[in-house]
């Protein structure tokens, strides 16, 4: 089988970029001054309340380092608050800043509207892409691409051995 042109990862990256860029555009048009890199953190803190970077990382699915690289500039701008964890001073608990609460409320409302937009998009293309990507993520967590490639190669080798016998 010939390699795909362009490769699957490139297509996935472009689609992800389009969603991100068009989300930023939508927030700009709607006058919501919120960095798109903060959106998952904002939604998590809004839904679950204050959390540590480790808790945010587990909830969102990014590394703690990525979360901290995104939340710290937001703290500086007042989008997020930070305070030491009273149970462990080595940890920091992040929340939504008072000055940002109205912006966050608008962003959360718009994201609720986007749920219907995404559902219409899934209907248009005939695939629930979110469900498909979640299933793909779970399948790759069970068996990595290299494991799948190794299995495929072993199967092809076994088939070749059977044919020559």
């Amino acid at each position: 089988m010939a390699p795909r042109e362009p490769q699957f990862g490139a297509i996935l990256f472009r689609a992800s970029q389009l969603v991100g860029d068009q989300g930023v555009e939508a927030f700009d048009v709607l006058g919501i001054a919120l960095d798109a890199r903060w959106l998952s953190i904002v939604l998590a803190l809004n839904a679950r309340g204050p959390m540590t970077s480790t808790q945010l990382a587990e909830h969102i699915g990014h590394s703690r380092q990525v979360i901290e690289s995104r939340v710290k500039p937001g703290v500086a701008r007042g989008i997020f608050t930070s305070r030491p964890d009273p149970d462990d001073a080595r940890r920091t608990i992040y929340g939504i800043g008072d000055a940002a609460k109205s912006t966050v409320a608008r962003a959360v409302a718009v994201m609720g509207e986007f749920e219907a937009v995404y559902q219409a998009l899934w209907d248009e293309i005939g695939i629930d892409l979110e469900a498909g990507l979640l299933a793909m993520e779970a399948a790759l967590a069970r068996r990595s691409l290299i494991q799948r490639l190794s299995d495929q190669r072993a199967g092809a080798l076994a088939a070749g051995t059977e044919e020559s016998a």
Side-chain angles (χ1 to χ4, degrees):
M1 178 184 302
R4 296 172 189 253
E5 290 282 335
Q7 196 268 338
F8 172 71
I11 296 167
L12 189 58
F13 179 77
R14 284 196 324 260
S16 176
Q17 283 293 128
L18 279 172
V19 169
D21 292 348
Q22 291 177 11
V24 167
E25 179 185 14
F27 273 32
D28 286 347
V29 168
L30 297 171
I32 300 172
L34 190 64
D35 189 316
R37 293 171 296 184
W38 298 334
L39 194 53
S40 293
I41 297 167
V42 164
L43 294 173
L45 292 173
N46 184 70
R48 296 181 171 236
M51 290 191 265
T52 66
S53 57
T54 300
Q55 292 168 323
L56 283 163
E58 290 170 359
H59 178 71
I60 295 169
H62 288 308
S63 71
R64 185 182 57 77
Q65 292 80 5
V66 167
I67 295 298
E68 287 184 4
S69 74
R70 292 182 179 171
V71 77
K72 287 180 180 179
V75 169
R77 292 207 30 218
I79 302 296
F80 304 117
T81 60
S82 67
R83 62 181 166 83
D85 184 334
D87 298 326
D88 185 345
R90 296 171 297 174
R91 296 187 304 194
T92 301
I93 297 176
Y94 297 100
I96 295 173
D98 288 338
K101 288 190 177 179
S102 65
T103 300
V104 167
R106 290 184 62 218
V108 168
V110 168
M111 292 312 295
E113 292 179 66
F114 265 113
E115 290 302 318
V117 169
Y118 285 130
Q119 186 58 56
L121 178 60
W122 308 155
D123 293 346
E124 178 183 331
I125 65 175
I127 300 167
D128 184 330
L129 195 53
E130 182 176 11
L133 289 172
L134 288 170
M136 183 175 85
E137 182 179 41
L140 289 172
R142 287 190 302 275
R143 279 184 51 236
S144 70
L145 286 175
I146 192 64
Q147 289 170 320
R148 292 166 188 275
L149 181 61
S150 295
D151 292 349
Q152 179 178 301
R153 286 180 169 186
L157 183 61
T161 304
E162 291 172 7
E163 288 176 13
S164 63

